[in-house]
Each structure stands twice: as C-alpha cells, then as structure tokens.
Amino acid sequence: MKALSKTLMACAVTGVLGLASSGAMAAFPNFTVSETIAGGTLTGINADKITGNYTEVITFSGNTFQASLLWNAGQFVTNDGTTPVPSNLSPTGGTASQYGLYALYQASGTFTTSGTVTTFTFQPGANDSLRLFLDPNSNTTFSAPGTGAGAWTTSGAGDDLLIANGRPTTGEGMLDPALSTCRNGINCGSFGAESTFSLTSAGSSYFTAPNPFYNVSFQSGQLNNFTPTGTQTINGSLDVVFGQVPEPASIALLGLGLAGIGLSRRRKQA
C-alpha cells in the first residue's frame, strides 16, 4: 500500500511539473485575432508571432541604462514564425480597412563592456512599463523623448485603444560590432526580454483566443551598431510571441506534492 501511495504521488507531481512547464516549452503558442474592433474586416486570424520594427532612445550613465522604445507592428506570421498571415494590419495604413498596432515600452538595467562586447541585463525599475495600442485610423504620430528616462509622446491618438498593459521583468542583450554578421552597422547584436501581459476589455475583443489569454509576452530584437555612452537613438527589427506562466494553484499543488514525498520518505526512514 505504501508503494502504491508513493507511485501515485510521484505520478501526480510529474503531471503538475508537466503542466507548469508546458507554457515555457511551447516556443510559438498560437493565438487568434479579430480585427473588427480596430476597423479591419477580418476575424479568426490564427498566428503565433507578430513581427515589427522599433526605434529606441537609450541613455547610459555609469553602468546603468534607461531605454524608451516605440514598436510598430508589421504583420502576423504562423508556422513557428515562418509564414505571413493575411490581415488588415499595417504600420502605415493606406486603405480604409487598414489599422495600426504599436507599443510604448520603457525598461532599465545595467551593462558591462569587455573588449568589443557590451552585455545588457534588464532589471525591473519603478518606471518600467509596456503599453500596447490599436490605431484604427493609422493616423497617430510620435515624438521621441530627449533621454531614455522619458516616454514617447503621441499626436492624433484620440481614437487609439489601449489593449494591453505589462511590465518588463527580465532580459539580456549583447552588442558586438566585431561580429561577422555586423556589416554597415547592421546585425551587430541582439536582445531578448520578457514582460507581464494583461489584456484590457478592448484587448479581449481583439485577442479572442486563448481565453484567458497568455500572461507573458516575449520580445526578441536585433541591434544595429551604436556607442554605449550618453544618449543614443537606435533602431532594428523586433518580434513578439506570447506564453504562459504557471498558475499559482499549480505551483501550490507542486509544493504539496513535493512535501508529501518528503513526508513519505521520513516515515520510511523512521
């Protein structure tokens, strides 16, 4: 009977571990979009990544940095980010059914330089934030802040819809102009970051599945060359995928399972 109990407990813990890790292991989880809330005409768009481009103002001081970034989405893709998906999404508009999707992002952290390599480590700060907007008329214009500590400002955004909020949590990056891929100041490094992700009511009408939606967004970007001193303005490509952090209940169940195994072992030893 004791052996059976230990086997059942082990199976239960294994199941919880699988549940807890399933979101992290799915590299490109699928999601569904309905564009009608943004003025588009398509519904049931299935994708697993959003591609786009960014412009960033970043300020270096001592061994710290503050960054303020504007991201404009370009298109949806699927099949692990390899196949473009038809949609009305457009970074610039052009027809009545097209619309814009953009994010304003502020992050901070530390950096070190060794030889030609600069390494960046994101560290959550009080002013760090992620805000994702729909621009139904593709008419919003943007003004860059003077330093990375400031926020991008918008004009013509009266019709825009806030669809998600979040906060940067972790991230790393590397810049190395000596890379063989760094030619004419392009493809000189990369970065990856993770942020919490929470939909607004408007966002739930746009991202329609899964429900509840993913609670983490992952950003992967390409760095063009720049000098990590003072205030710099840089740009590059930046793609977004989504994921899921294990629910607190699952983590609690895992803890109970591990405690049960420990208790079983102590009883056996006694």
Side-chain angles (χ1 to χ4, degrees):
M1 188 67 177
K2 289 184 178 180
L4 177 60
S5 297
K6 289 179 67 176
T7 300
L8 291 174
M9 182 64 73
C11 289
V13 173
T14 300
V16 174
L17 283 170
L19 175 63
S21 62
S22 60
M25 293 178 65
F28 294 95
N30 292 327
F31 59 88
T32 304
V33 165
S34 174
E35 296 186 317
T36 56
I37 189 175
T41 59
L42 302 179
T43 61
I45 296 172
N46 295 307
D48 55 32
K49 183 167 74 169
I50 311 174
T51 64
N53 294 281
Y54 74 93
T55 302
E56 177 181 17
V57 177
I58 183 168
T59 297
F60 299 92
S61 177
N63 70 331
T64 67
F65 70 86
Q66 291 180 290
S68 185
L69 181 148
L70 164 66
W71 176 68
N72 283 295
Q75 64 180 4
F76 298 108
V77 288
T78 190
N79 294 329
D80 285 340
T82 61
T83 306
V85 176
S87 75
N88 298 135
L89 177 62
S90 170
T92 57
T95 68
S97 62
Q98 288 183 322
Y99 66 96
L101 174 67
Y102 68 91
L104 302 178
Y105 176 90
Q106 289 183 261
S108 56
T110 61
F111 72 99
T112 59
T113 299
S114 177
T116 62
V117 178
T118 300
T119 302
F120 305 90
T121 302
F122 291 67
Q123 295 180 341
N127 296 322
D128 293 357
S129 64
L130 168 66
R131 294 179 293 157
L132 183 64
F133 294 88
L134 292 173
D135 179 10
N137 293 318
S138 295
N139 62 346
T140 301
T141 58
F142 306 92
S143 297
T147 70
W152 285 77
T153 57
T154 59
S155 179
D159 62 317
D160 293 358
L161 300 172
L162 175 66
I163 60 173
N165 287 297
R167 290 180 62 85
T169 54
T170 60
E172 293 184 353
M174 185 273 294
L175 175 71
D176 184 4
L179 287 172
S180 60
T181 57
C182 184
R183 297 178 180 274
N184 298 319
I186 299 174
N187 289 330
C188 303
S190 61
F191 65 90
E194 176 180 321
S195 302
T196 61
F197 195 78
S198 178
L199 294 180
T200 65
S201 58
S204 295
S205 297
Y206 183 74
F207 291 107
T208 57
N211 186 15
F213 199 69
Y214 303 109
N215 57 21
V216 175
S217 69
F218 301 96
Q219 307 93 36
S220 60
Q222 165 250 326
L223 290 173
N224 295 333
N225 193 29
F226 62 93
T227 303
T229 58
T231 296
Q232 306 285 332
T233 299
I234 61 177
N235 59 72
S237 62
L238 189 154
D239 301 338
V240 174
V241 300
F242 301 103
Q244 197 78 30
V245 170
E247 294 295 331
S250 299
I251 297 174
L253 181 58
L254 172 60
L256 288 173
L258 293 175
I261 288 178
L263 179 61
S264 175
R265 286 177 177 173
R266 287 195 295 273
R267 285 176 176 172
K268 184 177 180 180
Q269 290 172 354

